[in-house]
């Protein structure tokens, strides 16, 4: 299976396109994206990850990648999101739209996006599995798989019944490896037991592990001033075998260059470095912050159109930096894009889709109190 899927185009560093670089006036920064894509390809990498629901992402890849580089020189992975699909007949709409946006007539990797208990049921009811196989037989998807946010038991069940799946995309990083909710270690071990290649998402937990001002970040920086804090997280996951790719959402050229440096000069972590990571995990687990990855699965279902991850970000900034000054400004900027945190009616629609199992309605109350009273509610 590995021989079928890994060809000379695939390197370990995968280019995540969930969050795109923006200019100061908030527009997508096409010039920077073009430069970053060129630099990434020149460095010998070729895996671009996007999704039907990543706003503007497929269109940008169509313009900046597909129209500017030979099609055989890169791989595109995109995803079908079942959360909003109401019947089996609706499934083709997404790949047809994705191909149009991407300016191509096939994708290299096609995934069912972010399987949760709810979407696993839909995948079975709508036979999304058979649909993926048809796309592959028709040459529209070269390889098929899924990204996953449910339990090890659910993963085992799917892989036992669907040998046609070629790879699995999992959330793996040093903070989640033994986290009892996410259970990255068990998920990874099950995927490998079924001989599936693993594509890693959130190796830095949505950038969370890359911060250099937290207590854990400062400790890692002190241990190796020449290495970015982010590089520790990449080295941690790069030690695993059976990897298809490790996705990194890179917001600027500095991050891209840092990643290239880490991946091209990869050195396994020493025993002492592993001990430091264990210590970082302890510190982070004991820092009162909210492990939101900013994946955005919550807010499409919010009846009040609240930009949930943005508001949770406000709370986290406060919890980590204890600085109230910039928060009101960010709060009102976010209000311009949708409802305010204080508009939350506690319906729970967001919480059912949160891979991190966050109690979002309670967080909205806390951020409201923080901005109005200077400290979050208990
Ligand atoms: S609980 Fe609040 S934030 Fe979540 S979907 Fe309902 S209104 Fe929106
Ligand atoms: S609250 Fe949950 S679903 Fe929403 S962005 Fe954060 S991690 Fe994702």
């Amino acid at each position: 299976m590995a021989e079928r899927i890994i060809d000379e185009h695939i390197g370990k560093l995968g280019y995540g396109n969930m969050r795109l670089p923006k200019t100061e006036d908030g527009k997508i920064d096409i010039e920077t994206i073009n430069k970053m894509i060129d630099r990434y390809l020149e460095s010998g990498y070729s895996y671009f990850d996007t999704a039907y629901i990543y706003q503007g992402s497929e269109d940008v890849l169509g313009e900046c990648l597909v129209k500017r580089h030979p099609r055989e020189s890169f791989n595109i992975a995109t995803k079908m999101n079942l959360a909003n699909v109401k019947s089996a007949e609706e499934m083709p709409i997404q790949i047809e739209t994705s191909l149009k946006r991407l300016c191509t007539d096939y994708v290299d990797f096609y995934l069912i996006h972010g399987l949760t208990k709810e979407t696993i049921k839909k995948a079975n009811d709508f036979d999304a599995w058979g649909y993926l196989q048809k796309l592959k037989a028709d040459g529209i998807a070269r390889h098929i798989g899924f990204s996953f946010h449910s339990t090890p038991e659910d993963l085992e069940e799917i892989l036992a019944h669907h040998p046609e799946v070629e790879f699995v995309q999992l959330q793996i990083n040093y903070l989640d490896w033994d986290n009892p909710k996410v259970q990255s270690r068990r998920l990874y071990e099950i995927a490998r037991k079924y001989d599936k290649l693993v594509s890693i998402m959130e190796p830095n937990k949505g950038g969370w592990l890359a911060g250099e001002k937290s207590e854990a970040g400062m400790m890692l920086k002190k241990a190796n001033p020449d290495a970015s804090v982010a590089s520790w997280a990449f080295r941690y996951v790069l030690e695993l075998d059976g990897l298809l790719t490790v996705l990194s959402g890179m917001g600027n050229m500095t991050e891209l260059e840092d990643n290239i440096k880490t991946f091209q000069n990869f050195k396994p972590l020493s025993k002492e470095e592993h001990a430091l990571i264990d210590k970082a995990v302890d510190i982070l687990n004991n820092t009162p912050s909210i492990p939101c990855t900013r994946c955005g699965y919550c807010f499409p279902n919010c009846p009040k159109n609240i930009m949930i991850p943005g508001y949770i970000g406000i709370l986290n900034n406060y919890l980590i930096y204890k600085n109230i000054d910039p928060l009101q400004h960010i709060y009102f900027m976010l209000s311009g894009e949708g409802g305010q945190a204080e508009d939350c009616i506690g319906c729970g629609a967001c919480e059912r889709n949160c891979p991190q199992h966050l109690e979002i309605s309670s967080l909205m109350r806390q951020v409201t109190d923080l901005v109005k009273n200077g400290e979050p509610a208990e």
Side-chain angles (χ1 to χ4, degrees):
M1 198 270 295
E3 292 71 30
R4 270 191 293 124
I5 206 164
I6 294 182
D7 60 27
E8 71 272 20
H9 298 304
I10 299 176
K12 289 273 164 52
L13 174 60
Y15 197 135
N17 290 273
M18 185 161 78
R19 293 178 280 272
L20 301 168
K22 300 250 172 74
T23 55
E24 273 177 15
D25 56 359
K27 297 205 175 94
I28 294 173
D29 188 349
I30 296 294
E31 202 186 321
T32 298
I33 294 171
N34 281 341
K35 283 187 190 151
M36 287 174 66
I37 286 176
D38 295 353
R39 174 74 179 116
Y40 171 82
L41 288 170
E42 279 160 25
S43 307
Y45 301 114
S46 66
Y47 190 103
F48 291 85
D49 176 80
T50 181
Y52 174 80
I53 62 160
Y54 295 168
Q55 255 196 347
S57 173
E58 290 181 326
D59 294 297
V60 163
L61 283 183
E63 289 301 315
C64 299
L65 173 68
V66 183
K67 285 189 180 174
R68 296 177 59 252
H69 292 276
R71 181 64 185 88
E72 66 283 3
S73 68
F74 54 82
N75 293 275
I76 297 176
T78 193
K79 315 185 191 79
M80 169 173 69
N81 193 291
L82 290 175
N84 301 323
V85 173
K86 293 187 191 70
S87 67
E89 290 67 41
E90 280 185 24
M91 287 192 294
I93 296 170
Q94 293 198 21
I95 184 70
E96 284 162 15
T97 307
S98 293
L99 292 175
K100 216 176 278 171
R101 290 171 177 167
L102 287 161
C103 309
T104 184
D105 50 12
Y106 71 94
V107 293
D108 304 277
F109 299 91
Y110 199 51
L111 297 85
I112 305 177
H113 196 164
L115 282 174
T116 58
K117 288 216 177 286
E118 187 186 342
T119 48
I120 290 169
K121 183 172 178 331
K122 278 193 182 178
N124 294 335
D125 291 350
F126 300 163
D127 190 22
W129 309 107
Y131 178 63
L132 286 192
Q133 287 181 79
K134 180 170 174 341
L135 288 178
K136 186 173 172 181
D138 293 346
I140 292 169
R142 286 176 62 216
H143 302 291
I144 54 177
F146 57 86
S147 58
F148 189 79
H149 288 296
S150 193
T151 62
E153 292 72 26
D154 286 345
L155 182 62
E156 178 100 44
E157 169 91 9
I158 293 173
L159 293 182
H161 288 92
H162 294 287
E164 71 275 11
V165 165
E166 294 170 273
F167 66 101
V168 183
Q169 187 163 307
L170 299 174
Q171 174 174 320
I172 299 180
N173 56 65
Y174 59 72
L175 197 57
D176 288 330
W177 187 243
D178 285 316
N179 178 298
K181 280 187 179 163
V182 184
Q183 303 190 69
S184 299
R185 180 202 291 268
R186 280 192 65 204
L187 295 173
Y188 168 78
E189 286 169 357
I190 291 167
R192 294 302 296 148
K193 183 175 98 179
Y194 285 89
D195 195 26
K196 303 303 172 193
L197 285 169
V198 175
S199 165
I200 292 186
M201 58 182 161
E202 310 283 9
N204 253 307
K205 209 164 168 63
W208 193 246
L209 303 180
E212 303 201 338
K213 290 186 180 161
S214 67
E215 194 187 336
M218 285 191 289
M219 180 190 73
L220 296 176
K221 194 71 193 166
K222 194 171 160 207
N224 185 352
D226 295 333
S228 66
V229 174
S231 69
W232 289 75
F234 288 117
R235 289 173 64 206
Y236 184 86
V237 296
L238 280 168
E239 291 183 349
L240 298 171
D241 68 8
L243 297 187
L244 171 61
T245 190
V246 177
L247 297 174
S248 177
M250 297 168 280
N252 54 50
M253 193 60 97
T254 308
E255 287 173 13
L256 172 60
E257 292 294 352
D258 186 56
N259 285 351
I260 291 171
K261 186 175 142 198
T262 303
F263 280 68
Q264 290 189 341
N265 304 305
F266 169 65
K267 258 200 339 235
L269 293 163
S270 67
K271 212 169 130 199
E272 293 73 26
E273 287 173 322
H274 266 289
L276 276 179
I277 290 223
D278 289 346
K279 201 168 165 199
V281 170
D282 273 351
I283 293 170
L284 289 164
N285 280 338
N286 290 305
T287 301
S289 55
I290 301 133
C292 170
T293 62
R294 303 177 75 82
C295 65
Y297 295 139
C298 49
F299 62 80
N301 298 308
C302 175
K304 295 292 181 181
N305 196 23
I306 297 171
M307 291 294 156
I308 296 163
Y311 289 108
I312 294 179
I314 290 180
L315 208 46
N316 273 335
N317 279 338
Y318 172 76
L319 293 171
I320 296 165
Y321 302 116
K322 303 282 185 211
N323 181 5
I324 187 82
D325 294 341
L327 303 186
Q328 287 198 328
H329 171 65
I330 302 170
Y331 185 90
F332 289 110
M333 263 180 38
L334 284 167
S335 309
E337 296 181 31
Q340 296 188 332
E342 66 193 89
D343 297 331
C344 173
I345 53 171
C347 65
C350 52
E351 292 171 10
R352 288 192 280 279
N353 286 311
C354 175
Q356 310 305 325
H357 312 282
L358 299 178
E359 290 176 19
I360 296 169
S361 51
S362 153
L363 296 173
M364 294 303 103
R365 280 198 301 280
Q366 290 183 41
V367 77
T368 303
D369 267 44
L370 173 63
V371 172
K372 291 192 178 247
N373 306 325
E375 55 183 44
E378 287 304 309

